[in-house]
Amino acid sequence: MLRQMAQSFNTVIIIGAGVSGIAAATKLLKNNFNNFIILEAENRIGGRIQTLPFGDGHIELGAQWIHGEEGNVVFQMASAQNLVSDKRETIQQFTNSKFVTSSGLEIKSNHLREYLKVAYSVLDDSPKDDLERFMSLGELFQKRIENVLVDSEELPLKQFINWCQHYQNSYTGSDSWFEASAINIDTYKSCPGYPAISWKSKGYSTVIDLLQEKFNGEVEDLHIKEKVIFGKEVVKIYWSGDQAEVLCADNSRFKAQCILNTMSLGVLKNVCNELFEPELPEYKLKAIQNLGIGTVDKLFLKFPYSWWSKNTTGFSFLWSDDDREKFIKENKRRGWDYLCDVFGFYICDNCPDTLLGWIVGPAARNMERKSLDEIKIGLMYLLNKFLGDKYTIPFPDLVTRSQWGSNSHFYGSYSFHSMNTDKEGKANSQLAKPLINSNGKNILLFGGEATHSSYFSTVHGAIETGWREADRILEQFIE
């Protein structure tokens, strides 16, 4: 009886108002296709793009940078409107930061910059043989770094390699670089140009406006928000027969001829066995299972003033095993073990007097369970442990953090090729493959960054998948 109580019928339902869903929707509207709705579980548009006002500026809780220039649709749209920063030293925030040990010693060796340069390039080259192709990124890094001569008396090598792992995980999106396959070097395609570009002002959420551009470069109001129904967490997708039906957590139902599902890979991993009726084909379940997604979180501290020197780009933390073990033991009751995995704090673009800390993996998900007051106290303790001898650090005015790992509408930050992914990297295209009904018509489509074979994990990849699926819809329903 309840199955018949559909709330409305549309030709198409788009699940998710992240950038992939919005890209699909704007392309449909520009082609005069209006008979669709967007169901969004959150109370906002943007998905894993989330720009927030913070102090005297703004911060990015999600996507941070535009990755590359040539062939990057985000860069092309943003640069045409003069919205990209002239700054091209974003990565240098890390390499030029002050590296400080857990005993408070700043590493000033000339060998540090040389070693950093080599360490950053170690994973640039493709796996050279089958042995390397079947390695994890961590194993490949360790194999290649063995050949780098370095004065280990001047550099705390083990601590530095541990920092490199944290940094690489934040880039790849993996909880551990031993979970990420070396094939990522080949399967992920970088757009030529600078690898990490900041926005000039309003932030990454601007991309939602840019997707509504006319062909002459002007931005028109497509009234995209009028197409979105917020607070609709989809719990069941029925895709057999001539029509599809969606059931939401509030028991509302929607019918359509075709569904475009842009849920994150993290959600699919958690609910795919219960979400779809009938069950997804084995090849698609395998793709969902074998692709990886980890947690990359951010911690923002806004201070009354910049207590660091003008030329400082940030602070990178190097823990010794002994200091780490001692710190965890001494602070076990406080639950501060996650602090050992905050691998540094860096100057925050477009937000004065603010430092951005990075944390990945299980430690990030542990952090997400803490209150902001607990986090504020813990981070101040951490900063003073590493930097208290050199700086007088004021208490922050504002503190916030991301929670991508525990948010049930995301369950992770962005995808990567895990050690279980096929070595040809076909899982993304398998996930993207449309499912058809008994009449041979597309009934269930898939979009989102994890469905892009080359640009997975990126905003420009997510946008391209939205456009790709919009083309499928237009081909099917527009004569």
Side-chain angles (χ1 to χ4, degrees), residues 80 85 93 146 153 182 229 277 316 319 367 401 414 436 445:
S85 171
Q93 283 188 336
E146 284 177 359
E153 291 184 7
I229 307 176
E277 190 173 309
S316 296
W319 284 90
M367 175 277 297
R401 44 78 191 278
Y414 35 90
I436 59 175
L445 309 177

Side-chain angles (χ1 to χ4, degrees), residues 17 44 78-80 113-114 149 259 288 366 419 477:
R44 61 179 181 83
S79 59
R113 304 302 162 198
E114 297 170 23
L149 297 176
I259 291 172
I288 292 169
N366 183 7
M419 291 298 290
F477 295 107

Side-chain angles (χ1 to χ4, degrees), residues 427-438:
N428 306 90
S429 58
Q430 296 284 68
L431 181 55
K433 192 174 178 181
L435 298 177
I436 59 175
N437 62 18
S438 55

